[in-house]
Amino acid sequence: MEKKRVIAAAAILAATAAGLLVLAAVTGIFIGFVSKLIPYKQLETLNELAYTVNKRNGNTVYIREE
C-alpha cells in the first residue's frame, strides 16, 4: 500500500513539474511576442539633449525641445 502512495506522489510531482514547464514556455513565448509589439526607442543621455548658449555665464544647461 505504501509503495502505491509513493508512486502516486511521484506521478503527481512529475505532472506538476511538466505543467510548470509548459506554463513557463507559454509565458516566455507570450513575453517575446509582446516585446516585439512595443517599439523600442534608444534612450538619450543628458549630454545629447543639452547644449550651452553662452559659456561665459558658467554652467547653465539648456534642454533642447523636440
Side-chain angles (χ1 to χ4, degrees):
M1 189 70 166
E2 187 65 30
K3 189 174 183 179
K4 288 183 181 180
R5 284 185 180 179
V6 171
I7 292 173
I12 291 172
L13 183 62
T16 303
L20 289 175
L21 286 175
V22 169
L23 180 64
V26 169
T27 303
I29 292 169
F30 178 74
I31 290 173
F33 176 73
V34 170
S35 65
K36 290 179 183 177
L37 294 178
I38 300 171
Y40 175 75
K41 182 180 178 188
Q42 182 68 29
L43 299 176
E44 297 176 331
T45 63
L46 185 60
N47 191 25
E48 295 170 337
L49 296 174
Y51 62 94
T52 303
V53 175
N54 189 350
K55 292 185 180 183
R56 288 181 290 158
N57 292 338
N59 294 329
T60 305
V61 176
Y62 301 91
I63 304 296
R64 185 177 66 227
E65 292 183 35
E66 292 187 18

